[in-house]
Amino acid sequence: MYAYQPKKTACPYCGEIIELLIDCSVDEQRYIEDCQVCCRPITINVSIENGDPQLSTFDENDTF
Ligand SMILES: [Zn+2]
């Protein structure tokens, strides 16, 4: 069942819990979303495992 799922994660900059809407129709994705609290750009890595999105977040200084 593919759908959008809300997921909570902590901002790597300010530590606030923010809610993201994950598109579960894509197995692997990476995108940038501005923090809803401090407005800094968070790199978000998503992999879908058994329909459950796993999130990793990085700040702009992290290298891949
Ligand atoms: Zn923040």
Side-chain angles (χ1 to χ4, degrees):
M1 210 32 210
Y2 291 136
Y4 285 90
Q5 277 192 32
K7 278 293 230 186
K8 288 191 167 71
T9 191
C11 171
Y13 301 102
C14 68
E16 292 290 331
I17 302 300
I18 57 172
E19 190 169 87
L20 304 167
L21 208 53
I22 307 301
D23 180 358
C24 298
S25 66
V26 185
D27 284 343
E28 298 273 348
Q29 54 190 312
R30 184 159 81 208
Y31 62 96
I32 292 172
E33 180 151 324
D34 291 343
C35 174
Q36 293 148 14
V37 179
C38 67
C39 298
R40 289 198 265 185
I42 308 166
T43 301
I44 299 166
N45 241 334
V46 183
S47 62
I48 310 295
E49 290 173 17
N50 301 319
D52 189 39
Q54 309 293 317
L55 296 193
S56 313
T57 53
F58 304 91
D59 65 41
E60 60 192 347
N61 298 318
D62 278 338
T63 52
F64 294 97

